[in-house]
């Protein structure tokens, strides 16, 4: 007989002892209705059926249910009858049977109609009972929570309050009861709050979530909890459920309430530990709140805002609160926290970005990791959205009096806190000078309060001395910033010095140590120095005077060719013996030896000295190189345990021999010598040997590639033939060479990168794609890439974005247009890719601002990391329209297809009721911003006069994340000088210097208008911009832009301003401005206050004239007469995109960007 057996003990995963009675047998030849009847009869019987058999029947019910395809006709019963029978299982005395009943219900509920029947029969009360019945019934409660999540998935709007009450109760008091289900319950409450906020709010669930925020010290969970509330604040439909002034500002309570107790029953002995944990939780929540637009706008709103409460705490002499608040500020501005010390120099070195990091070791990221930190990105005019975000937040804090608060901390705290506050003050002043416009940052460095304290004798001496020390420390901080980042390792220093295009850098890095001896060009002085160096008469090598040896090696006009003295040759032989690997004198020293760096620098100078000595020196040099090649080749082909890594390469100075070889490879004669001694052949052989990763990384990092030759051959071999690890590192090193400015990179480096696009390792190909994207910031590299005609279709959307870069120059546009690529892409972007662009850019912002990490390939699970990135960059991704507008032909193409009018219609008539409508609005905003990133495209925006509509959304849109998008978009529009001027007419200011300009000169027109601006315009934000050529009639903007966008907004609202209340002309002095109490206490974000009513579009004919701003009235005549009618392409796009973004029930709990 055809039968099947089902073992319930493994399926339900309950702790039930297995026995032969646990298997319930059924005949498969029977009709499903007969089997259902037998199962339900046994489940419903109150007597005569053991709990073990009921358990087996319930598990077989699920098997039959799945095999029948959930077809009600095959059941032989109605859903109501089945639910009534299963309901009896939830009343069974055995927890295993109740758990099986819950599981059966979960499988039964497939759609809204079944769920309605379950709730109509009041099964929800029994589910709530299973959650509350007993903490030890973990199996039963787990099944209950899984059923609850199934209800939310099917239809959250039907979620019963009975179950919500139980979940909220567990979330509220679970920690006190040591309930292991508390986090699961809170997670479900958060999920429900996103899909049905009304039921959560009415049952007090939001208070439970915020209470749990202060309970949680895990950053990933803490962030998920607070962003749930921030997500509700984002949209006007859900904002009503959050009491902003009461509930959101609960996260500030541990700082603002000095007698704060999270739990009333906390023992006195545990108060200190409990308070520290609450500080940590509150700090995480505050930082997360300032990572979202809804958090920023609500914490910086008019009135008694959260930001003012925080800054006011700095003036209260509570060291514990001050310390915690300084850590909050460091994290908000993405700055590393200095170590706790009273020594300012030590603290400053601890936060130096160029300080040594573990990831820079040879066994890890090595030079490629260091260069990514030390060497600047190639982008000059490409907007960095993190600059916009930081400028926004920085302006809010500065205008609320942060600088004055920090001065108070510096002058009235203990030494450790004073040092931390001084460094933070210096960092913020430097940041303001970089990313805030001149009109809003020129007065900041005056710091009148600090200067007055340092110079006044009317205050206590201790405070005056602290102020004076702070002024001196700020000067030292400024001097360090002036010097810029310098490489830590000799390897990166070697690359920078040898890069022919880095002439300015070569001067600053040419000498590791300044000579302390005056060089006199006399034979007598040379002989005296030879004697004083102790090298001729002293056998202890490390006791030689190495500074004097370096001076001799750099002695002008002195080499072995000009000096035949035997003492000089003896000097060289002594040094040669010391550096030869066979002697193990230099090679045996540890990497962390006190003189390690100095000895290596002298060794490189010794190699150059011998190179300059022609034949006399080449003999010695050949002896040294042959010894190094012998040492290197001795490991080739040996067993792994005898390879170079095991011989001390990772821990001794022997790895620095590659610097000597790299020094030789930079000279034509040195290349010939290396080839003669067999070095290149040795390295080529090692490419195919296993366990030689360290050797190959050293070779890649030190060889000189400025000339065509064997060094490039070796690099190419490692890029294609070595192990996955080596190929990935060699690919990353191409970014180092790109940023270091190695000569003719476009002629050979781009070809190597294109080859890497086809590597079988996805990590290698994606790294090459990212480097190519950065390389295309230089026009020469872009032209070279077009010439190579790479195939990028296999790389997905990122490959497509690289190909779009071709459209920014005529040659690339012609190449793609001839193949019909441009017209196809225009159709795809209108239908699909504009919406995808929103997802791409918001994912990058989320990854930069939160613990969110992009899911692994093929995995939809959102990963989170406890490690916060230090000051990441989010460069604006490539957009089709943004590339087309760089060429006159592309602009005409956009104009012919009415792209700008269609996008403008979406901006003027937004559909904010659904998440799909909001996404379409964001897509239109990003598209318009990219079009306005060039002078040609900006003219199209001005013809349509859509910029005032974008400004209106930035100031008054009820969906707060849309305001943030508008701020970013305006930053993109200010990328050109012409864009800055247009925004200036509407009252928005901008930074007008390049990202790489260390000492920007303020344009004359800014200075002449500064007085009028400060006395008439209430400001709030700023747009810092990098401009392309001011010639808007040029056919192609081939020159890199000189202005980088950052945001800083000037509000022209009729409401009272929150920021920068102006002074008359006579009070224009920056000292007067900053010292003014009114200035310090004024607020920010008037334009970002929550709307009390819906604001009409400026293009709405029903809008009363009195509601327009003065600027709009002044420029209203510029608007082109155009009847706003819905274009056909808009409706077509909506139809084709479907439901890419669902309603609020489908929106994930991530920060709105």
């Amino acid at each position: 007989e055809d039968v099947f057996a089902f073992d319930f003990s493994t399926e339900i995963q309950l702790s039930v002892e297995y026995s032969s009675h646990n298997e319930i047998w059924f005949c498969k030849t029977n009709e499903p209705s007969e089997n259902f009847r037998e199962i339900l009869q046994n489940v419903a019987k109150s007597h005569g059926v053991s709990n073990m058999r009921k358990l087996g029947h319930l598990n077989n019910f699920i098997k039959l249910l799945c095999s029948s395809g959930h077809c009600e006709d095959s059941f032989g019963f109605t859903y109501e009858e089945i639910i009534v029978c299963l309901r009896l299982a939830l009343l069974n005395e055995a927890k295993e049977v109740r758990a099986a009943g819950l599981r059966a219900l979960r499988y039964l509920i497939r759609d809204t109609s079944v769920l309605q029947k379950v709730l109509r029969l009041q099964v929800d009360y029994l589910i709530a009972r299973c959650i509350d019945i007993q903490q030890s019934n973990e199996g039963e409660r787990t099944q209950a929570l899984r059923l609850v999540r199934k209800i939310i998935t099917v239809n959250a709007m039907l979620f019963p309050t009975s179950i919500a009450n139980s979940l909220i109760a567990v979330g509220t008091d679970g920690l006190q009861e040591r309930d292991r289900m508390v986090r699961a319950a809170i997670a479900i409450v958060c999920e429900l709050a996103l899909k049905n906020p009304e039921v959560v709010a009415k049952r007090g669930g939001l208070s439970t979530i915020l209470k749990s925020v202060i309970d949680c010290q895990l950053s990933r969970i803490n962030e998920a909890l607070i962003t749930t509330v921030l997500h509700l604040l984002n949209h006007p439909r859900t904002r009503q459920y959050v009491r902003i002034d009461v509930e959101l500002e609960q996260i500030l309570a541990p700082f603002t309430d000095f007698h704060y107790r999270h739990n009333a029953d906390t023992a006195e002995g545990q108060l200190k530990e409990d308070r520290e944990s609450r500080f940590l939780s509150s700090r995480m929540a505050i930082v997360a709140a300032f990572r979202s637009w809804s958090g920023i706008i609500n914490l910086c709103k008019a009135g008694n805002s959260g930001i003012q409460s925080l800054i006011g705490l700095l003036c209260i002499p509570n060291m514990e609160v001050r310390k915690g608040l300084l850590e909050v500020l460091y994290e908000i501005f993405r700055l590393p926290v200095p170590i706790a010390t009273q020594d300012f120099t030590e603290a400053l070195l601890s936060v130096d970005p160029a300080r040594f990091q573990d990831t820079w070791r040879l066994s890890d990221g090595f030079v490629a990791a260091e260069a990514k930190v030390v060497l600047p990105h190639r982008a000059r005019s490409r907007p960095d959205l993190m600059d916009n975000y930081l400028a926004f937040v920085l302006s809010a804090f500065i205008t609320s009096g942060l600088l004055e608060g920090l001065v108070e901390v510096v002058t009235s705290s203990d030494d450790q806190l004073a040092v931390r506050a001084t460094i933070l003050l210096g960092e913020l002043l430097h940041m303001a000078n970089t990313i805030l416009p001149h009109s809003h940052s020129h007065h900041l460095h005056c710091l009148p309060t600090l200067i007055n304290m340092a110079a006044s004798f009317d205050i206590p001496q201790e405070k005056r001395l602290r102020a004076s020390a702070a002024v001196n420390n700020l000067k030292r901080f400024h001097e360090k910033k002036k010097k810029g980042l310098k490489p830590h390792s000799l390897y990166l220093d070697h690359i920078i010095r040898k890069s022919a295009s880095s002439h300015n850098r070569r001067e600053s890095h040419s000498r590791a140590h300044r000579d302390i001896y005056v060089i006199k060009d006399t034979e007598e002085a040379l002989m005296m120095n030879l004697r004083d160096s102790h090298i001729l008469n002293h056998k202890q090598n490390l006791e030689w005077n190495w500074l004097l040896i370096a001076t001799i090696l750099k002695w002008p006009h002195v080499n072995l060719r000009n000096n035949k003295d035997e003492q000089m040759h003896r000097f060289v032989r002594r040094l040669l013996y010391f550096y030869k690997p066979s002697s193990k004198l230099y090679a045996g020293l540890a990497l962390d030896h006190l003189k390690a760096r100095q000895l290596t620098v002298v060794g490189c100078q010794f190699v150059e000295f011998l190179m300059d000595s022609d034949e006399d020196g080449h003999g010695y040099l050949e002896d040294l190189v042959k010894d190094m090649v012998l040492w290197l080749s001795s490991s080739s082909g040996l067993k792994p345990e005898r390879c170079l890594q095991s011989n001390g390469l990772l821990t001794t100075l022997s790895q620095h021999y590659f610097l000597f070889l790299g020094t030789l490879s930079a000279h034509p004669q040195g290349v010939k010598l290396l080839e003669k001694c067999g070095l290149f052949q040795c390295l080529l052989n090692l490419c195919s040997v296993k366990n030689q990763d360290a050797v190959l990384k050293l070779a890649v990092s030190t060889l000189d590639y400025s000339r065509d030759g064997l060094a490039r051959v070796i690099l190419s071999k490692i890029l294609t033939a070595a192990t996955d690890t080596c190929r990935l590192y060699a690919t990353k090193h191409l970014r180092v060479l790109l940023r270091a400015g190695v000569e003719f990179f476009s002629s050979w480096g781009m070809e190597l990168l294109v080859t890497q696009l086809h590597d079988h390792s996805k990590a290698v190909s994606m790294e090459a794609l990212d480097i190519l994207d950065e390389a295309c910031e230089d026009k020469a590299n872009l032209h070279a890439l077009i010439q190579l005609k790479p195939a990028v279709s296999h790389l997905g959307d990122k490959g497509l974005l690289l190909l779009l870069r071709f459209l920014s120059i005529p040659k690339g546009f012609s190449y793609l247009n001839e193949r019909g690529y441009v017209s196809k892409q225009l159709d795809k972007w209108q239908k699909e890719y504009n919406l995808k662009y929103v997802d791409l850019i918001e994912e990058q912002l989320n990854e930069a601002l939160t613990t969110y990490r992009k899911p692994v390939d093929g995995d939809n699970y959102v990963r989170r990391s406890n490690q916060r990135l230090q000051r990441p960059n989010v460069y604006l991704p490539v957009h089709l329209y943004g590339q087309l507008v760089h060429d006159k032909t592309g602009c005409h193409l956009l104009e012919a297809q009415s792209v700008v009018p269609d996008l403008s219609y979406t901006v003027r008539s937004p559909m904010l009721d659904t998440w799909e409508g909001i996404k379409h609005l964001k897509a239109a905003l990003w598209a318009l911003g990219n079009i306005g990133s060039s002078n040609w495209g900006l003219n199209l925006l001005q013809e349509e006069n859509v910029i005032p509509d974008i400004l209106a959304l930035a100031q008054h849109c009820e969906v707060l994340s849309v305001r943030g998008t508008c701020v970013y978009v305006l930053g993109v529009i200010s990328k050109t000088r012409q864009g800055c001027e247009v925004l200036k007419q509407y009252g928005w200011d901008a930074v007008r210097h390049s990202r790489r300009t260390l000492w920007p000169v303020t344009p004359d027109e800014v200075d002449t208008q500064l007085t009028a601006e400060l006395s008439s315009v209430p400001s709030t934000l700023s747009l810092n911009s990098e401009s392309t050529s001011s010639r808007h009639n040029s056919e192609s903007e081939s020159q890199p832009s000189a202005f980088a966008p950052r945001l800083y907004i000037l509000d022209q609202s009729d409401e009272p301003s929150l920021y920068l209340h102006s002074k008359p002309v006579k009070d224009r002095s920056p000292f007067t401005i900053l010292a003014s109490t009114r200035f310090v206490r004024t607020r920010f974000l008037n334009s970002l206050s929550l709307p009390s009513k819906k604001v009409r579009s400026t293009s709405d004919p029903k809008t009363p004239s009195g509601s327009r701003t003065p600027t709009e009235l002044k420029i209203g005549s510029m608007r082109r007469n155009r009847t706003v009618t819905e274009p056909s392409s808009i409706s077509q796009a909506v139809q084709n995109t479907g439901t890419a973004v669902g309603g609020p029930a489908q929106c994930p709990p991530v920060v709105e960007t």
Side-chain angles (χ1 to χ4, degrees), residues 865-972:
S865 168
N866 279 324
Q867 182 181 5
R868 290 187 180 272
L869 301 176
Q870 295 293 338
R871 186 61 173 88
N873 299 109
V874 182
Y875 291 105
L876 186 72
V878 177
H879 194 288
L880 173 66
Y881 300 163
Q883 298 302 303
L884 286 175
V885 294
H886 283 82
D887 184 71
K888 184 177 180 180
T889 309
C891 278
H892 288 164
L893 190 60
L894 292 178
E895 194 171 17
Q897 296 205 5
S898 299
V899 170
V900 174
D902 291 353
L903 295 172
S904 301
Y905 175 83
T906 304
V907 170
R908 290 174 179 139
S909 305
M911 295 179 292
L912 301 178
D913 295 334
T914 65
W915 291 109
E916 184 181 357
I918 293 172
K919 189 173 182 180
H920 276 280
L921 174 59
K922 289 181 177 180
L925 288 169
W926 282 116
L928 289 170
N930 277 278
I931 290 173
S933 63
S934 79
N935 294 323
W936 285 106
L938 187 64
N939 290 337
L940 297 179
L941 300 190
Q942 287 183 281
E943 288 176 10
E944 191 61 31
N945 203 19
V946 70
I947 293 179
D949 299 296
I950 299 176
L951 295 174
L953 285 175
Q955 294 171 315
H956 304 296
C957 185
E958 293 181 338
V959 180
L960 305 185
S961 62
V962 173
R963 297 193 196 184
T965 301
C966 291
V967 167
Y968 289 132
V969 166
L970 291 171
V972 179

Side-chain angles (χ1 to χ4, degrees), residues 332-514:
I332 286 176
F333 292 106
R334 313 309 295 260
L335 299 170
V337 181
I339 60 175
T341 178
Q342 299 179 5
D343 186 343
F344 181 81
T345 302
E346 184 181 359
L348 193 59
L349 289 175
S350 71
V351 295
D352 184 359
R355 70 191 183 283
F356 178 75
Q357 301 177 21
D358 289 337
T359 55
W360 297 357
R361 298 184 186 278
L362 176 59
S363 56
D364 206 333
F366 201 39
V367 178
E370 180 184 3
K372 204 166 184 180
V373 175
V374 176
L375 298 180
H377 193 279
R378 297 296 296 176
R380 293 183 178 88
S381 62
R382 194 172 182 180
D384 181 2
L385 301 184
M386 285 300 294
D387 284 344
N388 296 55
Y389 161 77
L390 285 174
F392 187 99
V393 177
L394 178 62
S395 179
F397 274 94
I398 287 179
T399 317
S400 295
L402 175 60
L403 300 185
E404 295 299 314
L406 289 176
V407 168
E408 181 64 27
V409 174
V410 168
T411 56
S412 61
S413 301
D414 59 56
D415 291 341
Q416 288 187 1
L417 275 185
V419 165
R420 279 195 176 183
T422 304
I423 292 178
L424 178 60
L425 185 59
E427 290 282 8
L428 295 183
L429 290 174
H430 176 75
M431 190 182 297
N433 186 61
T434 305
I435 65 177
L436 294 186
H438 176 77
S439 58
H440 295 81
S441 63
H442 72 285
H443 54 271
L444 299 180
H445 289 271
C446 300
L447 291 177
T449 306
L450 186 63
I451 299 298
N452 290 339
M453 285 183 180
S456 174
F457 288 89
D458 298 331
I459 61 174
Q461 182 181 10
E462 182 182 1
K463 203 163 190 175
R464 185 175 73 251
L465 292 177
R466 286 184 179 277
S468 179
V471 171
N472 290 329
N473 287 336
L474 286 174
K475 181 178 182 298
R476 292 161 61 190
F477 179 90
H478 176 67
E479 291 295 330
K480 185 170 181 60
K481 286 291 184 183
K482 279 172 59 178
K483 294 178 182 178
L485 296 180
K486 291 190 177 181
H488 176 273
S489 71
L490 289 171
Y491 298 98
L492 185 57
D493 180 76
H494 167 81
I495 294 171
I496 294 173
R497 285 189 296 106
K498 297 302 179 182
S499 297
S501 61
S502 302
H503 176 72
N504 294 332
R505 290 183 179 273
R506 191 187 312 130
E507 294 300 319
S508 61
H509 292 289
S510 59
R511 296 188 178 185
H513 300 279
R514 291 185 178 180

